Amino acid sequence: MIEFLLVGLGGAIGAMLRYGITLIPIKYDFPYITLLINFIGALAIGMLAALATKQTLLSDHCLLLLKSGVCGGFTTFSTFSLEALTLLEQHKIQTGIAYILTSVLLCLLGVYMGKHFIHA
């Protein structure tokens, strides 16, 4: 039960951080804020993954709060990036590329279908 609470607390923190960053007033046609959020999330989960190999630094509960909670609430792109890089690092190149392409295309299709379902 404590694990669910930690993920929920971290998720709330991550979502609030994401919202706070979106309040930065940038007026460009390119989605710089989303790009920044995804980069920060990927950087953070990469650092946490590295720290996880040194078990003396962070407890399992702390890692759960930070990786699944904060990073997950901040952006799920960070988890996707970690999983894709892990596949590539494990020399599962075809699987990694398939995962990357399938994830991006399927999510674009999902957004397209969702938008058109609502407008139908």
Side-chain angles (χ1 to χ4, degrees), residues 72-92:
F74 191 62
T75 172
T76 58
F77 198 78
S78 58
T79 302
F80 160 75
S81 299
L82 177 62
E83 291 170 343
L85 183 63
T86 299
L87 287 169
L88 297 174
E89 287 176 339
Q90 293 172 346
H91 304 288
K92 299 176 181 175

Side-chain angles (χ1 to χ4, degrees), residues 55-66:
Q55 284 296 323
T56 58
L57 297 176
L58 296 172
S59 70
D60 288 343
H61 281 142
C62 186
L63 284 168
L64 187 62
L65 174 103
L66 295 172

Side-chain angles (χ1 to χ4, degrees), residues 93-110:
I93 305 301
Q94 288 179 328
T95 304
I97 291 171
Y99 177 59
I100 292 165
L101 293 175
T102 303
S103 295
V104 171
L105 293 174
L106 193 60
C107 289
L108 286 172
L109 178 63

Side-chain angles (χ1 to χ4, degrees), residues 1-12 59-70 72:
M1 183 59 145
I2 187 74
E3 289 84 5
F4 284 98
L5 294 173
L6 290 169
V7 171
L9 174 63
S59 70
D60 288 343
H61 281 142
C62 186
L63 284 168
L64 187 62
L65 174 103
L66 295 172
K67 282 174 64 179
S68 296
V70 176

